[in-house]
Amino acid sequence: MITKVLIAEDHESANISVQKTLEELAITNIAYAYYCDDALNKIMQAVNAGSTFDLLITDLYFEPDGHKQALAGGIDLIAAARKVQPDLNILVFSAENRPTAIDQLYSNLEIDGFVRKARHDARELKEAIHEIARRRRYFPRHVRQLVDKKNTYSFSDVDITIIKLLAQGMLQKDIPVYLQRKGITPSGLSSIEKKLSQMKSVLGFTKNEQLVAYCKDIGAI
């Protein structure tokens, strides 16, 4: 059961919005912090007082405003909070939209849920909190689909180089010359066409532009 929540969010409007969502869930024991250092101090104080938080809701990115901080952002806060209170549930509420970056939050920092700041995010926040209260991790479906899709194709170094060149505006017919100058093989135009065709086929795209946009979204380039 979740009854005591700490919100770490530097934008006042977002902070108020999250508080309102929590109150609609009948959660009224709410604390908030605009700085990561302050949030960690509140977690430490709660642990020392024997009245720990059930859930930390934190953004990933905090805008610097001249206040010197030991913790640069949400990732540092999550890691530090885990050391202070290992059983703390952590829900990330952020504008981050790169599936690879989000997936790493689960695999590396073992967060309990992620909600993207977007349309209908209040509804999704409620769903995430309900799941976490049931001791289940919350992973947005659309993000999981993108991550799973990414894992269906293993990009080689040559693949990434080709996609980067396309993203920089180089024409497909000019790529062989670049690869030959760099000593990268295979470098023939037919080989490049086959590689692009294979990538697009596996990932369900028909245009190079779609492939480039997708690789940017997942953080591959």
Side-chain angles (χ1 to χ4, degrees):
M1 187 174 182
I2 294 176
T3 60
K4 186 177 181 181
V5 178
L6 172 62
I7 306 168
E9 168 62 61
D10 60 345
H11 289 174
E12 186 175 359
S13 59
N15 202 317
I16 293 173
S17 176
V18 175
Q19 289 185 52
K20 183 179 179 181
T21 299
L22 291 171
E23 289 168 359
E24 290 175 356
L25 294 173
I27 299 173
T28 57
N29 192 348
I30 306 168
Y32 58 89
Y34 292 109
Y35 301 97
C36 292
D37 286 15
D38 186 25
L40 182 61
N41 286 334
K42 289 181 184 296
I43 293 170
M44 294 173 65
Q45 291 170 5
V47 169
N48 292 333
S51 180
T52 57
F53 288 99
D54 301 310
L55 175 66
L56 165 66
I57 300 177
T58 182
D59 196 352
L60 291 178
Y61 308 110
F62 290 73
E63 294 181 9
D65 63 356
H67 286 76
K68 188 175 181 180
Q69 298 288 303
L71 302 176
I75 291 177
D76 290 342
L77 172 59
I78 293 169
R82 282 277 188 234
K83 292 180 180 179
V84 174
Q85 186 185 336
D87 64 344
L88 177 63
N89 292 305
I90 297 177
L91 172 61
V92 173
F93 183 45
S94 170
E96 176 64 72
N97 65 353
R98 294 172 298 164
T100 299
I102 297 170
D103 191 45
Q104 288 174 351
L105 294 174
Y106 285 89
S107 58
N108 297 341
L109 295 176
E110 299 183 344
I111 66 170
D112 298 280
F114 178 91
V115 173
R116 183 186 174 197
K117 291 179 178 178
R119 191 174 301 164
H120 307 307
D121 55 18
R123 182 178 63 192
E124 196 169 356
L125 271 173
K126 291 179 182 178
E127 292 176 1
I129 293 169
H130 278 307
E131 287 297 292
I132 294 172
R134 296 186 180 98
R135 299 186 180 279
R136 295 194 295 226
R137 298 174 95 188
Y138 178 81
F139 206 135
R141 185 179 304 169
H142 72 282
V143 174
R144 172 54 66 189
Q145 289 173 340
L146 285 173
V147 171
D148 289 344
K149 191 176 185 182
K150 180 205 72 167
N151 291 335
T152 63
Y153 188 88
S154 180
F155 292 96
S156 69
D157 291 340
V158 177
D159 293 336
I160 295 300
T161 298
I162 293 171
I163 296 170
K164 282 183 177 178
L165 293 173
L166 290 173
Q168 293 166 6
M170 184 176 291
L171 297 176
Q172 185 173 314
K173 65 182 180 64
D174 296 331
I175 292 178
V177 175
Y178 176 91
L179 297 182
Q180 290 165 13
R181 287 175 179 171
K182 296 293 183 178
I184 299 173
T185 57
S187 59
L189 181 58
S190 62
S191 296
I192 293 171
E193 290 174 343
K194 287 179 181 178
K195 279 183 170 294
L196 288 170
S197 178
Q198 181 182 12
M199 285 186 277
K200 288 184 289 188
S201 176
V202 171
L203 295 170
F205 300 131
T206 58
K207 299 179 180 179
N208 288 344
E209 292 81 2
Q210 293 172 310
L211 179 61
V212 170
Y214 170 73
C215 288
K216 287 181 179 179
D217 286 342
I218 66 172
I221 63 172

